[in-house]
Amino acid sequence: MNKFFVSMMLMLSFNLQAQTDSGAMTKSLVGIKYFNQMMGNVHQNASRFSQVLTTISCNHPVKVMKQTSKDGKDFVMFGDNDWYLVTVGPYDGYIMADYLSDKKSVCFEEEYAKFFDGLELDINDLYYWARLYDQYVQGKSKVRQ
């Protein structure tokens, strides 16, 4: 009887904790954007060095989400305003804002499908190519010549 009481109390405490956590922030859909690089990753956190949840390729549709706090503040961009909160399939994660566009772009693997298919890349190869794209720093140099 005592074990039953303890297990019931544990289940109730976990249920209560889950209810309070889910009420903290609500997510809603902002829109659909398209991934505009050859390959990339959905990250667990708003950092290029964080855990990878899944790998996507060019023109993959991505649901951009916003989070609303209890006090009504909306959060769309994260990590120094460089990352979007996104949903891709069953995964909720982050993608760099520069890698998303409103319209589909011209992709190498679509333009040269026979060449790309001839490479016969497996899932590991795609993952490592996407990790390489994560490490690129794009922009203009601020160094004077």
Side-chain angles (χ1 to χ4, degrees):
M1 181 71 166
N2 199 9
K3 289 180 183 178
F4 176 76
F5 180 74
V6 171
S7 64
M8 288 302 290
M9 291 303 291
L10 283 173
M11 286 183 3
L12 287 173
S13 67
F14 287 132
N15 190 22
L16 190 61
Q17 180 67 27
Q19 288 177 355
T20 57
D21 288 345
S22 65
M25 299 284 262
T26 58
K27 286 193 302 186
S28 60
L29 180 67
V30 172
I32 304 288
K33 291 189 179 277
Y34 298 95
F35 191 75
N36 61 20
Q37 300 295 312
M38 185 182 278
M39 291 172 207
N41 293 313
V42 177
H43 291 272
Q44 186 176 14
N45 300 315
S47 168
R48 68 178 69 218
F49 306 109
S50 71
Q51 178 83 18
V52 173
L53 300 174
T54 188
T55 300
I56 59 176
S57 62
C58 188
N59 283 337
H60 193 284
V62 172
K63 293 179 185 176
V64 177
M65 308 298 281
K66 76 174 176 182
Q67 284 187 328
T68 306
S69 64
K70 285 183 184 178
D71 58 354
K73 292 182 182 176
D74 290 337
F75 300 98
V76 178
M77 302 290 281
F78 297 87
D80 298 331
N81 295 330
D82 292 338
W83 295 78
Y84 280 117
L85 173 65
V86 298
T87 299
V88 177
Y91 302 106
D92 291 333
Y94 298 88
I95 295 179
M96 285 210 269
D98 293 340
Y99 292 171
L100 297 177
S101 59
D102 293 330
K103 296 180 181 178
K104 288 187 175 186
S105 58
V106 177
C107 296
F108 176 80
E109 59 265 29
E110 291 174 0
E111 286 288 312
Y112 304 101
K114 285 185 180 182
F115 173 78
F116 191 77
D117 290 341
L119 295 174
E120 297 179 2
L121 300 174
D122 66 3
I123 192 71
N124 291 327
D125 297 330
L126 297 175
Y127 168 78
Y128 286 115
W129 275 104
R131 287 301 279 185
L132 177 64
Y133 271 90
D134 282 340
Q135 303 310 311
Y136 289 153
V137 177
Q138 299 175 355
K140 293 185 178 182
S141 173
K142 297 179 182 175
V143 177
R144 289 190 169 177
Q145 297 189 10

